[in-house]
Amino acid sequence: MVNLGILAHVDAGKTSLTERLLHTAGVIDEVGSVDDGNTQTDSLALERQRGITIKSAVVSFVIDDVTVNLIDTPGHPDFIAEVERVLSVLDGAALVISAVEGVQAQTRVLMRTLQRLRIPTLLFVNKIDRGGADCTRVLREISEKLTPAIVPMGSATELGTRGARFTPFATTDASHTARLTEVLADQDDALLAAYVDDPATVPYHQVYDALAAQTGRALVHPVFIGSAITGAGVEPLIAGITRLLPAADGRVDGPASGTVFKVERGSAGEKIAYVRMFGGTIHTRERIRLPGDTEGKITAISVFDRGSAPSRPSVSAGQIGKLWGLGGIQIGDAVGVSLAPSDAHHFAPPTLETVVVPTSPSDKGALHVALAQLAEQDPLINLRQDDERQEIFVSLYGEVQKEVIQATLTTDFGIDVTFRETTTICVERPTGTGTAVERLGAGRDASTHQTILPTLDGDPNPFLAGVGLRIDPAPIGSGIEFRLEIELGSLPPAFLKAIENTVRETLHQGLHGWEVLDCVVTLTYSGYVPRQGKRGTTFDPSISSSAGDFRNLTPLVVIGALKEAGTQVYEPVHRFTLEAPDDTLGAVLPVLLRLRAVSNPAALRGSSATIEGEIPAARVYELQQQLPSLTRGEGVLECAFSHYQPVRGEVPSRQRSDHNPLNRKEYLLRLKRRA
């Protein structure tokens, strides 16, 4: 069994390839068309209308007794979150590249991620039947822009015609064996020594076995060529999938372990969790361990098999199934024992944000419920509510995603909405070291030995808790690290957990309202009042510390330390590739300069010019809007997140939520009113 992901830049043809694979395997009688809206994996009405994949979809087929669970993923960068969730459940991947457009922006993003995660990957150069197909150029681009560790598995002829075909190299082809050995020898000294000693004594099957081994370790990437529309080269690709990619591992009789990579709602509104099993077996009506030391009871199971997902009594290691009954389940959750790979984010978070406004004010409550359900299916939507203004913010990757959210709310929930202007999401990083301490209480009553409670208007710390924190800058990309300098055991675990959780929550909004990244937060001081009571009682919560005291106090300490450390606001920057007619450069270059883009000299090829560089994310949409008029409609722009850079000039601020205490007095008064 192989769990295979199909990945590509938008319009490279991966959904068409999925259809062709299903047809070749005998799962479907006719190949569906993206243009006609009748493909197997693009089942949503919006996907059929727009001709793009929005949600990942799973189908299954069998080739030579090997079951392949194929996951078709979106290619549009606005839906990269769908791809991210799939990566953690794959045994291998097929990266599709157009023989006409070649290596595109999203192709590079995907390949870098596959390499970083060491996911075994085959490359498929598609669309050789299209005018402009050029395999020699595309293979060169792959080697230069993706990886030099590639091995073409055959040659293509009659490019650009319906008769275009792919011919695999013969096992007796000495030049192919030599090329294979040359690439594989970088990682296999024994193979190199045998070949140098006497090439004729190294049989092809030995070289092919070495190819399979290195492909399985993501050290080399076989390249197949063909056309998903005509079927050229698809059978050799299938042979590569079954023979070169590693099979799913995991013991069926081991402890149950799976990862949820997709959540959807059924017709009755029930949650359905898509799970890849890494070990063991889960049965219907079984109680299974979930995150947070909770349990859930499985009420139904279906397992993907030969084009459908029939009901089954169980789902086992290596399989992908759908589980019913887990009402609190979320994407990324471990089911059973957590044996799956890390759920760390592989792509950049969304860099855009907008306010969703219901057309009818009476739909405000329903809108929040609907967006919460969409966030279940896409956690990176990242809902944020401003209670004071009664506004709901959503994070976005782009304008297409916003349009899809709007259409989904109308179609699935009957809620018409509009959006405010899309704004850029910045981040903050500490610029120095800052410390803050809130010490415990004012003293003790000598007659009762009880703590004297400070008042809101008196002692500056009105909580039965003491917290001291130090915030230090950390390397870019390191995230938030929480450390202890207090003595282990000096604070009950529940209070320590409350402090750490609140630190992370508070850092969602720094001094300017943006999320704080890349810092080390160290707990330097703690104090608490043990469980105690007044005379004649054993316990009185009003004079004993609680986790709530630490949750209320910690934000004050975090903000105090941040104020002393200071923070720098950073804006997201996208790398871009812009292709346009060379005679339009005179109009394009001044606009790039005005939009604060930094670009390399234009590369000319024939009458076409290619410009690569970086541009602030806040200016991308403006460039997209102006490009058609600047280039007579012939310009093509590709963008992807690159990094964050310090904001120059006026520092943008974000509307703060009322629980983040920049103003100490107002924060304490709000807590008092709530109490």
Side-chain angles (χ1 to χ4, degrees):
M1 179 175 294
V2 176
N3 292 295
L4 175 75
I6 300 287
L7 292 80
H9 185 99
V10 65
D11 290 335
K14 59 178 181 41
T15 299
S16 297
L17 178 59
T18 298
E19 287 290 306
R20 179 60 63 177
L21 291 171
L22 293 174
H23 180 265
T24 303
V27 172
I28 57 176
D29 295 329
E30 294 184 7
V31 177
S33 166
V34 173
D35 293 336
D36 295 339
N38 59 355
T39 59
Q40 296 293 305
T41 51
D42 284 349
S43 57
L44 297 178
L46 273 174
E47 292 178 316
R48 297 182 185 278
Q49 292 168 12
R50 290 175 171 268
I52 60 172
T53 302
I54 296 172
K55 296 290 183 182
S56 59
V58 183
V59 290
S60 183
F61 58 89
V62 177
I63 297 289
D64 296 334
D65 297 326
V66 176
T67 298
V68 179
N69 291 323
L70 187 152
I71 308 178
D72 185 18
T73 64
H76 197 288
D78 279 16
F79 307 105
I80 194 67
E82 284 289 315
V83 180
E84 174 171 86
R85 292 187 280 276
V86 167
L87 293 176
S88 63
V89 304
L90 298 181
D91 301 309
L95 182 62
V96 184
I97 302 167
S98 169
V100 180
E101 288 79 12
V103 173
Q104 298 168 277
Q106 190 77 345
T107 318
R108 284 177 279 190
V109 172
L110 294 169
M111 188 63 184
R112 280 197 300 268
T113 305
L114 291 166
Q115 289 177 304
R116 186 170 69 250
L117 298 177
R118 304 193 71 79
I119 295 175
T121 302
L122 307 180
L123 306 180
F124 184 72
V125 178
N126 191 25
K127 299 187 178 183
I128 61 172
D129 58 314
R130 287 254 315 272
D134 186 343
C135 292
T136 301
R137 171 179 58 83
V138 173
L139 287 173
R140 184 173 63 251
E141 287 184 5
I142 292 172
S143 180
E144 293 173 353
K145 298 181 179 181
L146 300 184
T147 173
I150 59 171
V151 179
M153 300 301 290
S155 60
T157 55
E158 298 186 48
L159 299 179
T161 71
R162 294 290 289 184
R165 62 181 182 273
F166 173 73
T167 304
F169 292 128
T171 59
T172 56
D173 187 330
S175 60
H176 172 53
T177 303
R179 285 193 299 270
L180 265 178
T181 305
E182 182 179 349
V183 174
L184 298 174
D186 285 343
Q187 304 290 336
D188 191 333
D189 292 340
L191 179 63
L192 176 62
Y195 189 80
V196 170
D197 184 54
D198 185 358
T201 63
V202 182
Y204 182 79
H205 71 81
Q206 181 182 345
V207 178
Y208 193 85
D209 289 345
L211 174 63
Q214 291 195 26
T215 301
R217 292 160 54 200
L219 298 174
V220 69
H221 306 283
V223 182
F224 297 87
I225 301 171
S227 167
I229 296 299
T230 67
V234 172
E235 288 192 4
L237 173 64
I238 289 177
I241 292 170
T242 57
R243 298 174 190 172
L244 295 175
L245 293 180
D249 56 9
R251 294 178 50 190
V252 174
D253 58 350
S257 171
T259 294
V260 176
F261 66 93
K262 179 177 178 178
V263 172
E264 65 182 17
R265 293 269 178 174
S267 57
E270 75 281 14
K271 269 190 181 180
I272 305 171
Y274 286 63
V275 60
R276 153 73 196 268
M277 294 297 295
F278 287 92
T281 301
I282 294 176
H283 300 85
T284 306
R285 295 184 295 278
E286 179 181 353
R287 287 198 168 274
I288 195 72
R289 196 173 87 185
L290 301 173
D293 293 326
T294 60
E295 285 189 346
K297 183 178 180 181
I298 307 299
T299 58
I301 297 173
S302 66
V303 178
F304 288 93
D305 183 31
R306 299 174 189 267
S308 62
S311 296
R312 292 283 188 265
S314 63
V315 57
S316 300
Q319 294 180 319
I320 292 177
K322 297 195 287 187
L323 307 181
W324 280 257
L326 306 179
I329 202 73
Q330 296 180 341
I331 289 173
D333 281 352
V335 177
V337 179
S338 181
L339 298 178
S342 168
D343 62 352
H345 292 315
H346 310 306
F347 298 106
T351 58
L352 302 174
E353 183 177 67
T354 188
V355 176
V356 189
V357 182
T359 304
S360 171
S362 62
D363 283 337
K364 277 188 176 181
L367 174 61
H368 190 276
V369 172
L371 287 172
Q373 288 196 17
L374 293 183
E376 289 175 354
Q377 302 167 28
D378 186 354
L380 291 181
I381 283 180
N382 190 25
L383 294 186
R384 183 174 69 88
Q385 181 154 341
D386 183 335
D387 294 328
E388 291 184 356
R389 297 190 179 189
Q390 293 294 300
E391 293 178 337
I392 301 176
F393 293 77
V394 295
S395 301
L396 301 166
Y397 278 101
E399 295 298 316
V400 172
Q401 186 185 17
K402 184 166 72 173
E403 294 169 8
V404 167
I405 291 174
Q406 185 178 37
T408 302
L409 289 171
T410 300
T411 305
D412 295 356
F413 299 94
I415 303 173
D416 292 326
V417 300
T418 58
F419 294 91
R420 300 264 176 83
E421 181 182 0
T422 301
T423 57
T424 304
I425 299 175
C426 297
V427 299
E428 296 180 47
R429 291 191 175 104
T431 56
T433 295
T435 61
V437 180
E438 294 282 350
R439 298 194 177 274
L440 173 67
R444 305 197 38 109
D445 187 306
S447 61
T448 64
H449 302 289
Q450 305 298 327
T451 298
I452 300 172
L453 293 178
T455 65
L456 182 62
D457 297 325
D459 192 278
N461 177 7
F463 306 109
L464 284 178
V467 175
L469 296 171
R470 183 178 68 249
I471 295 180
D472 296 292
I476 291 176
S478 59
I480 306 297
E481 183 180 356
F482 185 75
R483 295 178 182 174
L484 300 180
E485 275 188 6
I486 63 171
E487 185 177 346
L488 289 177
S490 63
L491 193 66
F495 296 167
L496 187 61
K497 191 66 175 175
I499 294 173
E500 180 177 358
N501 289 346
T502 307
V503 164
R504 296 183 183 279
E505 291 170 7
T506 306
L507 290 176
H508 286 162
Q509 288 192 298
L511 302 182
H512 300 277
W514 306 106
E515 183 176 5
V516 180
L517 302 180
D518 305 329
C519 62
V520 176
V521 183
T522 304
L523 182 62
T524 59
Y525 163 81
S526 67
Y528 77 103
V529 180
R531 291 170 62 94
Q532 60 182 341
K534 299 174 183 176
R535 287 186 193 277
T537 64
T538 57
F539 172 60
D540 184 345
S542 68
I543 56 174
S544 304
S545 295
S546 68
D549 287 308
F550 286 93
R551 284 193 293 268
N552 288 331
L553 177 62
T554 299
L556 286 171
V557 186
V558 172
I559 294 299
L562 274 182
K563 286 181 176 179
E564 183 174 295
T567 63
Q568 167 75 57
V569 176
Y570 290 73
E571 64 178 342
V573 176
H574 285 200
R575 58 180 169 271
F576 72 88
T577 301
L578 192 160
E579 294 182 4
D582 60 355
D583 62 351
T584 65
L585 286 179
V588 171
L589 293 176
V591 172
L592 290 176
L593 186 62
R594 181 176 60 80
L595 296 179
R596 295 199 290 124
V598 178
S599 58
N600 300 323
L604 302 178
R605 189 175 65 205
S607 61
S608 177
T610 301
I611 307 172
E612 294 185 341
E614 296 179 345
I615 183 172
R619 302 303 184 96
V620 169
Y621 184 63
E622 188 176 349
L623 178 58
Q624 291 172 332
Q625 295 296 101
Q626 294 189 41
L627 192 61
S629 61
L630 294 171
T631 63
R632 303 189 297 272
E634 298 179 46
V636 177
L637 177 68
E638 298 172 350
C639 288
F641 173 83
S642 176
H643 62 279
Y644 289 98
Q645 69 179 11
V647 170
R648 300 195 302 269
E650 184 180 354
V651 177
S653 295
R654 185 194 218 179
Q655 179 67 34
R656 305 181 59 81
S657 61
D658 63 357
H659 68 272
N660 218 315
L662 268 188
N663 186 305
R664 179 189 188 88
K665 185 175 181 180
E666 290 182 3
Y667 172 76
L668 294 175
L669 285 172
R670 277 195 296 268
L671 290 180
K672 185 179 181 181
R673 285 196 296 267
R674 289 177 181 175

